[in-house]
Amino acid sequence: MARVVVVTSGKGGVGKTTTSAAFAAGLARAGHRTAVVDFDVGLRNLDLIMGCERRVVYDFVNVINGEANLNQALIRDKRTEGLSILPASQTRDKDALTFDGVQTVLEGLAQDHDYIVCDSPAGIERGAHLAMYFADDALVVTNPEVSSVRDSDRVLGLLASKTHRAEQGDEPVREHLVITRYVPERVGKGEMLSVEDIGEILSIDLLGVIPESSAVLNASNSGVPVILEQQTDAGQAYDDVVARYLGETREQRFITEKKGLFGRLFKG
Amino acid sequence: MGLFDYFRGQKKTSASLAKERLQVIVARERGARSGPDYLPALQSDILDVVRRYVAIDDDAVRVQVEREGDYEVLELNVVLPDED
């Protein structure tokens, strides 16, 4: 049985698509057949981050409308075996995604995949609701910043009430926190919410902390999921996220300050 | 806490301010979420009734459900305007 994982946040620009691409690529690298689905109808971007924008022929909405079958629409990743991408449609019709349509597509994907990663659009409208509705697990992507934390809490409320699992009274969606754009030096100076602060407010399991890193923009510039850049800090942090999700115990590597000798003398 | 911070005194950092503000707003919004569905309708009905007698602002009526142990307390707060 495939597991459906939604990557969500409420707030835009916090790293949902970056996380979806990295997480899906990581699962595939670990040997799991993985599909990553872009739910952001009208604002397709996962294809760019995954570097397959020129290979898009059919999309999610084409499949729902029966204009193409799943196999025609799925793009097989060239770098990572076992990874496929289902791009969002660029239609301006907000109602292009339907509950039945999404369910049918997810059931189709579940036939030959182990994980289905749903990249949610920002906001809490229809697209975001549909992205989370059939989820078994949720990665809640949060920046150490007040508006992002508040929106994440709002999204946690929706995960607990507006999902298929919640409505059926099944075991609740498993929620995992992924903190992105973290700068330990600023946390040390009291300028940024710490991992502990955010954990205390949202009180969900911490899956990982991705440091603020030039590697993320570099990777997106070249259309490579940042997890494949294994020599970079963000790449390694996402690798830890995937490993922990799959049950491995790994220490947090990117939450302490890199102190020089001078810093150590004067900062106690 | 470094040596210099000691001399600088205990000024509140912006991160601790952020945390305090978040704790308050998140608690309030969670309270509103977990309350019964009819609360917003009740709030607007009460607003209408009070307005038959006195002109008040939209945000002058606050309805809140507090949980205390086994029972729930429905708290109504109506702020009347100052008399000129």
Side-chain angles (χ1 to χ4, degrees):
Chain A
M1 194 54 203
R3 253 190 120 68
V4 179
V5 187
V6 62
V7 179
T8 181
S9 71
K11 192 177 183 305
V14 298
K16 281 183 296 297
T17 302
T18 300
T19 300
S20 299
F23 187 69
L27 289 172
R29 267 160 51 101
H32 304 284
R33 297 165 304 166
T34 304
V36 56
V37 183
D38 191 348
F39 274 76
D40 205 345
V41 169
L43 291 170
R44 169 159 82 210
N45 272 323
L46 180 68
D47 56 337
L48 267 181
I49 301 300
M50 303 281 301
C52 63
E53 69 278 7
R54 289 169 62 177
R55 296 170 62 206
V56 175
V57 183
Y58 295 110
D59 60 51
F60 198 171
V61 171
N62 290 140
V63 179
I64 288 179
N65 293 342
E67 293 149 7
N69 64 38
L70 254 183
N71 266 325
Q72 291 171 299
L74 274 182
I75 303 170
R76 269 100 196 148
D77 192 86
K78 284 192 169 151
R79 285 174 296 252
T80 313
E81 187 163 334
L83 176 61
S84 16
I85 301 114
L86 183 59
S89 158
Q90 285 290 44
T91 173
R92 286 162 62 184
D93 176 11
K94 284 200 297 309
D95 301 325
L97 294 185
T98 59
F99 277 84
D100 289 346
V102 170
Q103 185 167 26
T104 309
V105 169
L106 293 183
E107 280 167 2
L109 288 171
Q111 308 250 317
D112 40 18
H113 291 90
D114 305 310
Y115 289 98
I116 304 167
V117 178
C118 302
D119 182 20
S120 172
I124 51 173
E125 300 298 316
R126 187 187 182 84
H129 186 200
L130 277 167
M132 72 168 63
Y133 189 75
F134 297 100
D136 301 304
D137 302 312
L139 305 193
V140 178
V141 183
T142 307
N143 286 174
E145 188 252 318
V146 284
S147 51
S148 176
V149 176
R150 180 201 208 168
D151 290 357
S152 291
D153 189 68
R154 183 100 170 78
V155 160
L156 288 171
L158 297 175
L159 285 166
S161 62
K162 303 282 186 218
T163 52
H164 188 258
R165 280 179 173 271
E167 288 176 3
Q168 298 297 310
D170 294 343
E171 195 191 315
V173 177
R174 276 189 220 159
E175 303 155 340
H176 305 277
L177 179 62
V178 177
I179 298 174
T180 53
R181 310 201 67 166
Y182 197 70
V183 187
E185 289 74 17
R186 301 198 71 185
V187 173
K189 284 188 205 152
E191 294 176 354
M192 184 180 268
L193 288 163
S194 68
V195 171
E196 292 78 18
D197 293 340
I198 301 170
E200 207 179 301
I201 291 161
L202 297 179
S203 54
I204 57 170
D205 160 64
L206 175 71
L207 196 58
V209 179
I210 315 300
E212 173 79 63
S213 166
S214 54
V216 173
L217 183 60
N218 281 332
S220 77
N221 284 342
S222 29
V224 179
V226 70
I227 197 170
L228 300 185
E229 309 283 8
Q230 271 298 299
Q231 72 289 1
T232 67
D233 49 359
Q236 292 167 8
Y238 274 116
D239 194 63
D240 289 351
V241 162
V242 173
R244 286 191 203 106
Y245 175 81
L246 293 172
E248 209 177 298
T249 308
R250 284 200 191 176
E251 271 199 50
Q252 298 289 347
R253 289 193 270 176
F254 302 98
I255 57 175
T256 46
E257 294 180 61
K258 285 180 233 106
K259 282 181 188 173
L261 178 64
F262 192 79
R264 238 175 268 146
L265 278 176
F266 286 90
K267 259 276 173 187
Chain B
M1 184 62 62
L3 191 60
F4 292 136
D5 295 323
Y6 181 77
F7 293 110
R8 245 188 265 140
Q10 303 281 345
K11 200 167 157 278
K12 204 179 258 178
T13 63
S14 69
S16 60
L17 196 60
K19 186 181 178 186
E20 279 172 31
R21 292 174 59 218
L22 271 170
Q23 281 171 324
V24 172
I25 191 69
V26 162
R28 206 167 83 191
E29 288 176 346
R30 277 183 198 160
R33 276 206 303 262
S34 58
D37 293 342
Y38 59 75
L39 277 193
L42 177 65
Q43 180 162 359
S44 94
D45 282 355
I46 290 169
L47 195 66
D48 289 343
V49 172
V50 177
R51 273 188 178 152
R52 282 187 216 153
Y53 305 93
V54 55
I56 53 169
D57 290 337
D58 284 350
D59 57 357
V61 172
R62 278 244 296 276
V63 182
Q64 228 171 335
V65 175
E66 301 266 341
R67 259 182 208 96
E68 288 174 30
D70 284 347
Y71 55 94
E72 292 179 333
V73 180
L74 178 68
E75 188 184 304
L76 276 179
N77 210 324
V78 182
V79 182
L80 296 174
D82 291 335
E83 290 193 41
D84 293 321

